[in-house]
Amino acid sequence: EAGVAQSPRYKIIEKRQSVAFWCNPISGHATLYWYQQILGQGPKLLIQFQNNGVVDDSQLPKDRFSAERLKGVDSTLKIQPAKLEDSAVYLCASSLDYRQPQHFGDGTRLSIL
Amino acid sequence: AQSVTQLGSHVSVSEGALVLLRCNYSSSVPPYLFWYVQYPNQGLQLLLKYTTGATLVKGINGFEAEFKKSETSFHLTKPSAHMSDAAEYFCAVSHSGGYQKVTFGTGTKLQVIP
């Protein structure tokens, strides 16, 4: 089966610019996750979708981050405006449901200048 | 509330030696426990999971972990390290019974010395 697809793989922007990441989960997976992984740390959940509804966005900085999952399939994560501390790898994962193991994409490495 | 503690951010072993990566968890209800591996510039890949039943869990690539409730531990082991095992390993905890997000530890980077 095809894995979780993410794009772009790398992105370099200047602070205060905006950026968007895209994720295509494994077909049939109802649950989709976005994580932020700062160098040397474990992944931190930003937002979790069940189909196209938000289950958990308690750690999403809503003043600058937004995410959507249209039609319960693909998802986009946006940062506007970006800050230096947003430099990280953004990982997308999907699972059949929240109790099942997650399958991860290769991530987008974001560098803020 | 739940949390995961991984002892040792870096572990070095010789090729052929035993691998032991430590994980302790905190959870107010019976946990689901996971070990994931992350190779450079890649996402995380599931190694093994414990939900219920047998406390010794076997995973991919010869790894296994034992759930010890009395010690609140879920340590990862492999009898003989291979060069290809060099990666970062993450322990994670969740649980059944309604929504609960997965909480990841801070990771242990494994170095294998030839």
Side-chain angles (χ1 to χ4, degrees), chain B residues 25-42:
Chain B
Y25 69 90
S26 171
S27 177
S28 57
V29 296
Y32 285 2
L33 295 159
F34 308 85
W35 275 100
Y36 286 85
V37 61
Q38 186 176 33
Y39 298 100
N41 297 316
Q42 294 185 23

Side-chain angles (χ1 to χ4, degrees), chain A residues 26-86:
Chain A
I26 293 173
S27 178
H29 281 196
T31 311
L32 185 146
Y33 313 78
W34 282 103
Y35 288 90
Q36 180 191 59
Q37 186 177 20
I38 293 173
L39 188 64
Q41 299 182 18
K44 182 183 84 171
L45 181 69
L46 292 176
I47 189 167
Q48 178 177 337
F49 292 93
Q50 182 71 18
N51 296 309
N52 61 347
V54 176
V55 175
D56 186 342
D57 63 358
S58 58
Q59 298 189 99
L60 186 74
K62 298 180 186 64
D63 58 333
R64 297 183 301 105
F65 286 65
S66 65
E68 60 182 6
R69 190 182 185 196
L70 298 176
K71 301 180 181 178
V73 183
D74 292 9
S75 178
T76 56
L77 176 70
K78 296 180 181 178
I79 308 175
Q80 181 180 8
K83 292 185 175 181
L84 292 175
E85 61 259 35
D86 298 333

Side-chain angles (χ1 to χ4, degrees), chain B residues 1 35 47 51 58 62 71 79 81 94 101:
Chain B
W35 275 100
L47 273 179
T51 53
K58 295 187 184 298
E71 299 177 8
S94 180
K101 67 172 177 275

Side-chain angles (χ1 to χ4, degrees), chain A residues 9 35 37 42 45 48 55-56 59 98 101-102 104-106 109, chain B residues 36 38 41-44 46 49 90 98-99 101-102 104-106:
Chain A
R9 286 298 315 275
Y35 288 90
Q37 186 177 20
L45 181 69
Q48 178 177 337
V55 175
D56 186 342
Q59 298 189 99
Y98 68 86
Q102 298 173 32
F104 284 80
D106 287 337
R109 184 176 298 275
Chain B
Y36 286 85
Q38 186 176 33
N41 297 316
Q42 294 185 23
L44 281 70
L46 181 71
K49 65 176 181 178
F90 293 93
Y99 169 74
K101 67 172 177 275
V102 176
F104 286 87
T106 53

Side-chain angles (χ1 to χ4, degrees), chain B residues 1-5 23-34 50-51 67-73 92-97 99-103:
Chain B
Q2 60 191 24
S3 64
V4 175
T5 301
C23 173
N24 288 88
Y25 69 90
S26 171
S27 177
S28 57
V29 296
Y32 285 2
L33 295 159
F34 308 85
Y50 168 79
T51 53
F67 169 60
K68 292 187 176 181
K69 183 179 178 180
S70 62
E71 299 177 8
T72 61
S73 69
V93 63
S94 180
H95 64 73
S96 63
Y99 169 74
Q100 181 59 261
K101 67 172 177 275
V102 176
T103 300

